[in-house]
Every structure is written in C-alpha cells, then in structure tokens.
Amino acid sequence: MRRILIPTDFSDIAENALKYAIEIAAKFDGELLLYHVYSMNKKLDYDWDFPEDEQPYVMDLERKMNNLKGKYKEEFKRKGISIETKVEEHHIFTLFDTLVRKHEIDLIIMGSQGATGLEKVVFGSVAAQALDLAKVPVIVAPPLYEYQAIDKIVWATDLNSVSANTLAPMQELAVRFNAHLTILNINTGESKKKSSHQIESYLQNVETTYQEAPLSESINQSINLFIKAMKCDLLCMIRREKGFFESLFQTSITKEQVYNTQTPFLVLPEA
C-alpha cells in the first residue's frame, strides 16, 4: 500500500484525513497523491478578462494546494514521504475509478462529515459514493479524530466466504503496526464460529481473536458499542455486492457506518 490518494476540498475535515494519511504512509515508505478536482461553472466562475490558462478561479485553487503542501513540507521531509499534488477539472467521482487506475493507487484515505438526514452532504456523501466506486481499499477518517498508532483492529464480518486477496490490505496493516485483530460477528441467532477458522488461516503473522456481540437496535449500533468498549483504533468491513447484512436489513451497513463512525474505518472491496 505504497501509493495513497487523499482527496481534498481544502476543508478541516480533508486536512485531518491528510494528517492521518501521513502517519500511514510513514509506515509503508509511501507516496502521497493529494488531489483536488473541480467543476467550473462558466457562468459563475469563468472570468472572460483572463485567458483559459490564467483563470482566477483555478489560480486560487492552485494557491490553496501549494499552501497546504507547504504547511506539511517539513513533516513530509522528516518522515521520508514523497508528495505529489494535482488540481484538475474532473467530476469528483472520477477520483475513485478512472484516476485511481491511471495513477496506480493502492489506498484511498479521506474525510467524512458525520451527519444525519439531509445533512449527509459534502464529504459524507462523497465518502459513501467512494465505497461503491473504488476498487481499492478506502480508509475514512472521522472529522475530529486525532491519529494514534493502530494497536487494535476490529473486523466486523458476517463470516461468509472471503478470499485471501480481499483480506490482504487489512493483514498488511496489522503486521506493519503489530496490531491485534478481533474478528467480530454480530450474533443474530446462529453462531458461525467454525467459519472463522478458515478466515484466520489467511491472516498469517497476525494475532487474532474471535468474538460475538449481541444484536441491539441495529447492526451499526451493535458494532459501535463494541468498538467503543474495545477502544479499537481501526474498524474494518468488507464491501460486498450483496452480503448478509444487506439482505437482512435491506440497507448498506458499510455506507451507514461512514456517517456514524467515531473510529477510522477501513472498507475492503471484495476481490
């Protein structure tokens, strides 16, 4: 996971995700790609007094990007991290599909605005869409989260079959941070503990334990209660095309978690 994409809209939420990405990249001798995409409204943003390549709207975005890069210049140098920045006109969602492939991205780290109802906007909805589109793992960093080393990882799973390739990024993080991994299954009436043995065989060199937690009002609430009690540093889930949770509750548990998590949230696309 060397090449890490950080989408930014120059907000505090996005900058907080950048801080988190710096720490992850330092563990992997990583390369950061800090990306801002914009859509120019010709009626509102275009200044006809300036040529195409000198538009004040775009020049202001470039200035913000340079300022952001400069703010962390010494930290990049101290941690041995290379950083590349791009400001380009694209639709935001091309970041998680076309541009991820173009730039050979291994991991996306981004912020999310935790909210409910009509307030599920800005990076909240963008992060949720990223989970649908991205073919690489995505880490969503909560707005106010202050980085701390990853010592405890909780993987919330339905214990359905999963490939070693799908779990590889989580395993790599656990090994690099020497973290303990708890395999969490929300007990809906049928124990699948035996299914966990094959899964654990994929997680070589990772200390693991298996736990079941009771179902409360919802799967998400059950997960959040557990990770709060465990004081875990990273929550992980797999994004399936149609998994157990989705078929049972007719909703996306992973997307809902984006809006509610108080812990960094790693989503693995099913391989």
Side-chain angles (χ1 to χ4, degrees):
M1 290 196 291
R2 294 198 68 245
R3 288 187 57 78
I4 302 173
L5 169 70
I6 308 98
T8 183
D9 61 354
F10 308 113
S11 65
D12 291 342
I13 292 170
E15 186 171 345
N16 196 53
L18 171 60
K19 294 176 185 177
Y20 191 88
I22 289 171
E23 301 296 339
I24 299 297
K27 279 287 186 179
F28 288 87
D29 297 321
E31 304 169 358
L32 298 183
L33 178 56
L34 188 61
Y35 224 122
H36 176 79
V37 296
Y38 66 91
S39 298
M40 179 178 284
N41 186 316
K42 293 284 184 164
K43 292 183 179 180
L44 299 177
D45 303 318
Y46 198 89
D47 192 328
W48 295 99
D49 293 330
F50 291 84
E52 184 77 24
D53 59 350
E54 295 181 9
Q55 284 297 303
Y57 178 82
V58 179
M59 298 293 286
D60 183 57
L61 295 175
E62 294 278 6
R63 178 186 57 78
K64 289 179 179 179
M65 182 64 85
N66 288 333
N67 289 344
L68 182 58
K69 180 180 178 180
K71 183 176 179 179
Y72 293 94
K73 180 180 179 180
E74 292 303 317
E75 190 165 2
F76 295 143
K77 183 178 179 180
R78 186 174 68 254
K79 294 182 180 293
I81 300 169
S82 64
I83 175 75
E84 181 182 359
T85 62
K86 287 189 176 294
V87 175
E88 293 182 344
E89 186 170 14
H90 287 289
H91 192 283
I92 180 64
F93 298 134
T94 62
L95 263 180
F96 312 119
D97 184 4
T98 307
L99 296 177
V100 160
R101 293 197 305 271
K102 177 182 177 181
H103 296 287
E104 299 180 320
I105 297 300
D106 301 310
L107 173 68
I108 299 169
I109 298 180
M110 62 187 302
S112 176
Q113 175 66 61
T116 58
L118 294 177
E119 295 176 340
K120 288 182 177 178
V121 293
V122 194
F123 261 32
S125 59
V126 171
Q129 287 296 323
L131 303 188
D132 277 340
L133 297 172
K135 304 301 183 183
V136 299
V138 178
I139 293 180
V140 179
L144 302 178
Y145 186 83
E146 294 186 10
Y147 173 83
Q148 49 190 314
I150 301 174
D151 293 322
K152 298 178 182 178
I153 301 174
V154 171
W155 171 31
T157 175
D158 52 20
L159 294 179
N160 286 337
S161 62
V162 62
S163 71
N165 287 340
T166 298
L167 298 179
M170 181 178 70
Q171 184 214 23
E172 192 173 0
L173 277 166
V175 170
R176 291 288 180 126
F177 283 91
N178 193 28
H180 179 273
L181 173 65
T182 298
I183 301 171
L184 171 66
N185 179 242
I186 303 302
N187 190 342
T188 56
E190 180 181 354
S191 174
K192 295 185 179 181
K193 187 172 182 179
K194 290 182 180 180
S195 304
S196 71
H197 296 316
Q198 181 184 15
I199 291 172
E200 288 176 27
S201 70
Y202 297 151
L203 301 169
Q204 296 180 7
N205 302 317
V206 179
E207 181 185 359
T208 62
T209 58
Y210 172 83
Q211 289 202 38
E212 291 184 356
L215 177 64
S216 55
E217 292 183 8
S218 69
I219 293 289
N220 292 102
Q221 184 186 62
S222 304
I223 292 170
N224 287 328
L225 288 172
F226 184 86
I227 63 176
K228 183 177 181 180
M230 284 285 293
K231 298 181 179 179
C232 87
D233 306 300
L234 183 68
L235 170 66
C236 177
M237 296 176 71
I238 295 172
R239 189 198 74 221
R240 299 183 185 273
E241 292 301 320
K242 186 177 181 182
F244 170 77
F245 292 153
E246 283 74 14
S247 62
L248 181 62
F249 292 95
Q250 299 300 313
T251 187
S252 170
I253 302 303
T254 52
K255 281 188 180 181
E256 191 63 30
Q257 193 65 35
V258 168
Y259 300 119
N260 294 299
T261 190
Q262 301 300 311
T263 300
F265 180 34
L266 168 65
V267 179
L268 304 173
E270 190 170 27

